[in-house]
């Protein structure tokens, strides 16, 4: 257990010269309730008279609905309401907008387009009765040929999935392009070495331990809807409900209580939420909907599903010249991708990675298939998982071709520190980076040279050991509102700070933690700026009636956007405090100096007032300086000028059993650089969790479909998630390259490890299989797939 | 049907359906919502409680089957206002994030330490292998259990956990590799 930041001791004020300091290892404020079973998750909400909703789902991937008979269900003694798509259609609620500007059926009317799609719902006195009643609904389906394989979805004879869209005659969803095709082709034409590879990033699922759910409570007297829901973006959801349901926005209150993990799964609006709202509107009582695991896996936002042809061009001595890629993206039956409007492929454009190259080009086609919608989820930072996987696999393929060490090849091509801010060939402006020391530290922690020596010995004995390297650059903190919005809502975030008379404070956020520790770290950010101890600062989030507007937590955007807002709002309050202090000390503002928690007269530290003194003065009796209002509070809406670009160097060591082809991750070394580190303990936890995602995706997880469109990953019996036995003890380290444009120099980090670890694991497995002459194998590298690869059989297409 | 069982030391009697799962009995009938429900195939272990001391997945036990037995849940871990060392360990070692798997993990950890006061790392990993955590990557959960074991063995002086104070910031200078060991 080396170099783990979480091993630092907790120290108290004394070690900090009696001054409250915000940043540093601090135990979490949310833990005391969570370890007592006193967290409040959506399914814990119990309201008087509350009813339970269950959803009937399609057993078929593609079929016309010819009739729905609900009479038996309605006759069930505990059933209060049965609603079909036809009933919703009468109210204009059968379809809803998606975050990508497409539409999605709330309940199917004309036909079903994926297995697990919502067809009808029942509201009953209890959960068990509601489920019973689902069995009593009789739906007649007329089967249609399903479109399952994305490679043939655009064939002229393929059935048209989206015949609801006017004039739609094929399954084409969108085309997207970035970079310079001609320049890239020219570089490829003169390159010494060109390597191409077909790479699949299979469909996976974020599968948070808590599934999605909601409790809708419509108060018919004051016309107000309160919705507890598993949402990562409560304010954006409120606005969309106002648009979908036609309720005035001030009469909608969205409450996101404790959320049992999100990982991007809880960004979209799902039909179940709308059903719960409709149920409560129709009955006038609270209605709870909580999906089960199978519903979560088969119907809510999947992740990835990119089929990529990667090409990399280089000189014979290893200078990377250009990268070119064609992508086929499977978006399922409705384009529900959660991405900024102008970025239908998210931020896939960062596929040039950490390397200074001459040209790049990507052409993408997205298609509809008879599968659940989604795409952007599972800590992908808007498709950066796919981008990093592509570039880091291609660089490894090149290192294989050139017989060059993968670290040496990467280092040779790194963007250099003096090149930042660096504009990539696809137009992304990386804020800061110093890649080589990060790579060097990972190498040192791993004992890289010794590992290679060990590998050589083992290889000579016929043992399969692999060492995989990944160096990634992330792009997080969406985003500048001139470029980035979700359905017209600019991607800014608000923060409000109020200091109470006794010097305690409350900070209200527009972002929404799902376990990332915001209640702790945002108190730390404010504490650092205003000198109030973090335990005296309460963090409020997840209630749209109580918090400022903002777009929520995903894409590792909390620290970059809302964290910036928290620091700036604290500085705004501090500026006002300074004016009050000048009145109290009877000097001019220019004569005051800040010393973390107090202002004193320059040159005379004894003439000082603490922030607590100032807070009381702000609310108390007596005059304040001319023109100043009472109170000590401020609000801000932060519009970031750029994204933040954290980076990391990962090294994975695997052993493969030559007899069973089972891959064991023996070690994993992760060095992350997210600029200023607010709470190292929490960062470490974020990294550990993301590394586990990477092991899962690389070795175990996949949502696949049979030829009839049946989902084959619909439960935890089939959708395998790593347990403590599949994970090594993670080894972490860090470097610090602050973001120059961020108020405290902090970058996002939550998704870095999920982005960076799959390529490291796959690179390690492929490296172990080098004696078999294998250059690539597709995830998940299960024993059967690795065995196939060892026998010279290609991994089966997905 | 009527069922009577002891939950966290208190006898409870309720009228239930025969098919009611113990997890729903605890959550919906007794309001003990610390026990969670995370899957429908008995894999995830967020519903682990102790039945006569044995850790069980309460989604795979009928409430009726618990009749006449002793059930303990996360709500019963704290005794007389004092947190169980396992609870303290999870806070001290950052063994939780979203907190959804935490009650089940802690119940298994408690059962493990009752049987084996000083488990090795592989023993801890095996003990919790019937449970999934999506946030922590397990290393800090292992450390949390080790912390609790050390606490119970009296080899550790207790530090305040609940509202810790941040330590000095890391001292890694700008763009210089660092690590805190």
């Amino acid at each position: 257990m080396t170099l783990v930041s979480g091993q630092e001791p907790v120290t108290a004020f004394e070690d900090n010269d009696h001054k409250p300091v915000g940043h540093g290892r601090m135990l979490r404020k949310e833990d005391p309730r969570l370890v007592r079973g006193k967290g409040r998750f959506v399914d814990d909400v119990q309201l008087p008279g509350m009813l339970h909703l269950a959803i009937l789902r399609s057993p078929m991937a593609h079929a016309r609905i010819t009739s729905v008979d609900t009479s038996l269900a309605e006759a069930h003694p505990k059933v209060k309401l049965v609603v079909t798509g036809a009933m919703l259609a009468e109210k204009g609620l059968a379809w809803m907008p998606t975050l990508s500007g497409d539409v999605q059926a709330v309940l199917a009317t004309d036909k079903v387009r994926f297995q697990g799609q919502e067809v009808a719902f029942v509201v009953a006195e209890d959960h068990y009765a509601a489920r019973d009643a689902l069995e009593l609904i009789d739906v007649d389906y007329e089967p249609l040929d399903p479109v399952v394989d994305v490679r043939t979805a655009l064939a002229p004879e393929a059935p048209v999935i989206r015949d609801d869209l006017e004039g739609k005659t094929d399954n084409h969803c969108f085309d997207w392009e970035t970079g310079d095709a001609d320049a890239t082709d020219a570089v490829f034409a003169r390159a010494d070495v060109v390597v191409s590879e077909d790479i699949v990033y299979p469909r996976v699922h974020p599968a948070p331990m808590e599934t999605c759910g909601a409790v809708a409570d419509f108060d018919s007297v004051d016309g107000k809807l309160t919705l507890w829901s598993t949402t990562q973006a409560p304010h954006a959801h409120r606005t969309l409900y106002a648009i979908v349901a036609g309720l005035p926005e001030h009469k909608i209150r969205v409450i996101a209580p404790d959320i049992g993990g999100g990982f991007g799964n809880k960004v979209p609006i799902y039909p179940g939420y709308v059903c719960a709202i409709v149920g409560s509107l129709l009955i006038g009582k609270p209605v709870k909907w909580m999906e089960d695991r199978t519903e979560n896996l088969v119907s809510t936002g999947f992740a990835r599903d990119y089929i990529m042809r990667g090409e990399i061009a280089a000189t014979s001595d290893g200078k990377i010249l250009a990268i070119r890629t064609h992508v086929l993206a499977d978006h399922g039956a409705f384009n529900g991708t959660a991405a900024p409007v102008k970025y239908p492929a998210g931020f896939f454009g960062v596929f040039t990675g950490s390397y200074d190259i001459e040209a790049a080009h990507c052409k993408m086609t997205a298609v509809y298939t008879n599968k659940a919608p989604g795409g952007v989820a599972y800590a992908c930072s808007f498709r950066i998982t796919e981008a990093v996987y592509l570039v880091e696999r291609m660089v490894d393929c090149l290192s294989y071709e050139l017989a060059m060490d993968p670290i040496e090849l990467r280092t040779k091509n790194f963007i250099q520190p003096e090149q930042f801010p660096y504009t990539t060939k696809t137009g992304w402006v990386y804020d800061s980076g110093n890649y080589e020391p990060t790579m060097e530290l990972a190498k040192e922690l791993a004992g890289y040279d010794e590992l290679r020596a060990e590998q050589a010995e083992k290889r000579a004995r016929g043992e399969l050991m692999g060492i995989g390297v990944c160096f990634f650059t992330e792009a997080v903190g969406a985003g500048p509102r001139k470029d980035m919005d979700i359905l017209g809502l600019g991607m800014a975030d608000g923060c409000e700070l109020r200091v109470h008379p006794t010097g305690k404070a409350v900070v209200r956020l527009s972002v929404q933690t799902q376990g990332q520790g915001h209640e702790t770290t945002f108190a730390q950010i404010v504490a650092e700026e205003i000198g109030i101890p973090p335990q005296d600062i309460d963090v409020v989030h997840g209630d749209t009636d109580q918090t400022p507007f903002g777009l929520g937590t995903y894409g590792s955007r909390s620290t970059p956007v809302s964290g910036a807002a928290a620091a700036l709002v604290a500085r705004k309050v501090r500026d006002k405090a300074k004016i009050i202090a000048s009145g109290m000390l009877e000097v001019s503002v220019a004569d005051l100096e800040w010393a973390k928690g107090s202002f004193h007269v320059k040159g005379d530290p004894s003439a000082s007032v603490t922030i607590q003194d100032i807070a009381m003065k702000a609310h108390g009796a007596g005059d304040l300086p001319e023109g100043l209002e009472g109170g000590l509070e401020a609000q801000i809406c932060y519009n970031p000028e750029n994204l933040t670009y954290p980076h990391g160097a990962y090294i994975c060591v695997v052993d493969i059993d030559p007899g069973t082809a089972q891959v064991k991750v023996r070690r994993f070394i992760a060095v992350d650089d997210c600029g200023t580190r607010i709470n190292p303990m929490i960062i470490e936890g974020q990294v550990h969790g993301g590394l586990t995602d990477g092991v899962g995706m690389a070795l175990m997880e996949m949502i696949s479909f049979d030829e009839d469109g049946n989902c084959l990953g619909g439960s935890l019996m089939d959708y395998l998630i790593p347990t403590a036995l599949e994970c090594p003890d993670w080894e972490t380290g860090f470097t610090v390259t602050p973001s120059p444009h961020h108020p405290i120099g902090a970058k996002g980090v939550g998704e870095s490890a999920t982005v960076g670890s799959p390529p490291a694991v796959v690179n390690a497995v492929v490296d172990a299989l080098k004696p078999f002459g294998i250059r690539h194998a597709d995830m998940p590298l299960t024993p059967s797939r690795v065995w196939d690869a060892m026998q010279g059989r290609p991994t089966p297409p997905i | 049907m009527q069922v009577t069982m002891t939950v966290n030391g208190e006898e409870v009697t309720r009228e239930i359906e025969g098919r009611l799962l113990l997890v729903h009995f605890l959550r919906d009938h007794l309001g003990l919502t610390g026990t969670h429900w995370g899957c429908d195939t008995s894999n995830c272990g967020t519903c682990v409680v102790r039945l006569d001391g044995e850790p069980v997945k309460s989604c795979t036990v009928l409430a009726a089957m618990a009749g006449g037995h002793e059930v303990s849940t996360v709500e019963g871990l704290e005794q007389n206002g004092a947190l169980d060392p396992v609870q303290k360990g999870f806070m001290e070692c950052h063994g939780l994030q979203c907190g959804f798997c935490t009650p089940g993990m802690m119940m298994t950890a408690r059962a493990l330490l009752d049987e084996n006061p000083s488990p090795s790392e592989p023993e801890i990993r095996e003990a919790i292998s019937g449970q999934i955590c999506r946030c922590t990557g397990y290393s800090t959960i292992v450390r949390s259990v080790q912390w609790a074991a050390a606490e119970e063995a009296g080899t550790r002086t207790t530090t305040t956990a609940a509202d810790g104070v941040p330590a000095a910031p890391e001292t890694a200078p700008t763009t210089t590799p660092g690590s805190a060991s």
Side-chain angles (χ1 to χ4, degrees), chain A residues 437-486:
Chain A
T438 312
M439 189 74 250
E440 279 303 311
L441 179 60
K443 206 174 157 180
E444 185 191 319
L445 294 180
Y448 185 74
D449 296 336
E450 293 80 1
L451 283 173
R452 285 290 178 204
E454 181 194 344
Q455 182 185 40
E457 281 170 30
K458 286 192 165 160
R459 216 164 248 177
R461 288 200 298 268
E463 293 176 38
L464 303 178
M465 169 185 166
I467 306 161
V469 177
C470 170
F471 195 98
F472 64 89
T473 300
E474 258 269 46
V476 298
R481 58 190 296 163
K482 66 177 173 8
D483 299 323
M484 294 175 189
D485 67 273
I486 292 204

Side-chain angles (χ1 to χ4, degrees), chain A residues 91-423:
Chain A
K91 300 175 191 303
L93 290 172
W95 294 80
M96 64 179 189
T98 71
L99 296 179
S100 295
D102 193 359
V103 290
Q104 173 176 359
V106 177
L107 294 178
T109 50
D110 50 345
K111 65 180 191 178
V112 290
R113 293 173 170 84
F114 67 92
Q115 187 185 57
Q117 189 182 339
E118 299 78 2
V119 174
F121 72 80
V122 168
V123 179
E125 283 172 24
D126 64 64
H127 180 69
Y128 282 55
R131 293 273 163 160
D132 288 343
L134 294 183
E135 309 274 318
L136 301 175
I137 300 174
D138 190 12
V139 183
D140 275 339
Y141 294 101
E142 179 188 307
L144 300 167
D145 287 337
V147 179
V148 181
D149 186 348
V150 66
R151 297 170 184 86
T152 55
L154 292 175
E157 66 276 14
V160 179
I161 299 167
R162 295 301 301 279
D163 48 355
D164 58 297
L165 299 173
E166 199 163 329
K168 192 79 183 150
T169 56
D170 61 18
N171 295 315
H172 181 257
C173 185
F174 66 83
D175 285 321
W176 177 81
E177 196 171 351
T178 189
D180 186 327
D182 293 341
T184 307
D185 291 349
V187 174
F188 267 86
R190 66 172 159 82
D192 300 334
V193 184
V194 171
V195 180
S196 350
E197 198 62 65
D198 287 318
I199 294 176
V200 176
Y201 208 137
R203 178 177 282 230
V204 290
H205 196 283
M209 289 323 299
E210 179 208 34
T211 59
C212 299
V215 177
D217 184 14
F218 181 69
D219 182 333
S220 57
V221 176
D222 64 9
K224 182 150 184 169
L225 170 72
T226 304
L227 184 78
W228 285 262
S229 79
T230 51
T231 172
Q232 298 178 219
H235 287 277
H237 277 204
R238 183 191 64 192
T239 304
L240 290 176
Y241 291 130
I243 293 166
V244 174
L247 288 167
E249 201 169 355
H250 66 297
K251 292 291 187 186
I252 304 174
R253 178 185 185 187
V254 175
I255 299 174
D258 283 324
I259 296 182
F263 316 107
N265 188 229
K266 294 166 180 172
V267 176
I269 289 180
Y270 295 119
Y273 301 151
V274 178
C275 292
I277 293 170
V278 170
S280 186
L281 280 168
L282 291 176
I283 297 183
K285 284 186 176 177
V287 171
K288 178 188 280 184
W289 165 66
M290 204 72 216
E291 69 189 4
D292 63 28
R293 173 60 53 195
T294 297
E295 296 180 283
N296 178 255
L297 286 168
V298 304
S299 75
T300 65
F302 73 93
R304 323 292 186 256
D305 220 343
Y306 267 26
I307 297 189
M308 306 180 275
R309 153 136 295 215
E311 294 176 285
I312 189 164
T315 63
S316 51
D317 61 349
K319 177 78 194 91
I320 302 170
L321 301 173
I323 300 174
R324 191 162 60 186
T325 181
H326 279 215
V327 179
L328 202 50
D330 187 340
H331 279 239
F334 308 102
N335 188 14
T337 308
V341 168
K342 291 180 199 162
Y343 298 84
F347 303 164
F348 186 77
V350 300
F351 68 87
T352 58
S354 312
Y355 312 107
D356 181 25
I357 62 174
E358 292 178 20
H361 180 245
C362 168
K363 189 169 170 15
M364 174 181 296
T365 299
V367 297
Y368 291 116
T369 59
N370 286 115
K371 301 173 189 173
V376 167
Y378 206 172
C380 76
S381 308
F382 301 115
R383 301 289 191 186
I384 293 179
T385 34
E386 291 90 326
V388 166
Y389 185 64
L390 176 78
V391 61
E392 287 303 290
R393 272 277 56 234
M394 290 315 298
V395 169
D396 251 40
C397 290
L398 179 64
S399 83
Y400 188 100
E401 189 73 20
L402 298 171
M404 203 167 160
D405 179 84
I407 291 184
E408 189 191 337
L409 177 60
R410 284 172 170 82
T411 308
K412 191 182 172 85
N413 288 284
F414 277 155
I415 299 164
Q416 294 301 306
E418 62 276 10
Q419 290 178 280
F420 293 91
Y422 175 88
T423 305

Side-chain angles (χ1 to χ4, degrees), chain B residues 36-53:
Chain B
H36 296 141
W37 192 44
C39 76
D40 44 18
T41 48
S42 199
N43 296 87
C44 81
T46 60
C47 63
V48 167
V49 299
R50 297 179 78 180
L51 188 64
D52 296 335

Side-chain angles (χ1 to χ4, degrees), chain A residues 594-676:
Chain A
W594 174 248
K596 275 193 185 167
S598 63
F599 283 106
H600 63 260
V601 177
K602 277 180 189 165
D604 181 10
S606 68
S608 78
V609 285
T610 65
I611 188 72
Q612 290 80 7
D613 300 334
I614 297 167
M616 186 55 84
K617 179 70 182 171
H619 292 90
D623 282 339
L624 290 173
E626 183 88 29
L628 209 61
E629 288 175 355
L632 194 56
E633 59 193 63
Q635 185 169 353
I636 204 168
C637 184
Y638 182 74
N639 172 34
E641 68 173 72
N642 190 6
L643 304 178
T644 65
Y645 295 80
H647 65 268
Y650 290 0
I651 297 175
C652 176
V653 183
V654 301
D655 295 309
I656 301 178
D657 184 324
T660 65
Q662 186 176 17
V663 178
K664 175 82 184 165
V665 178
R666 191 208 316 167
R667 289 181 66 198
F668 202 112
I669 296 89
V671 178
D672 277 278
D673 187 328
C674 57
T676 303

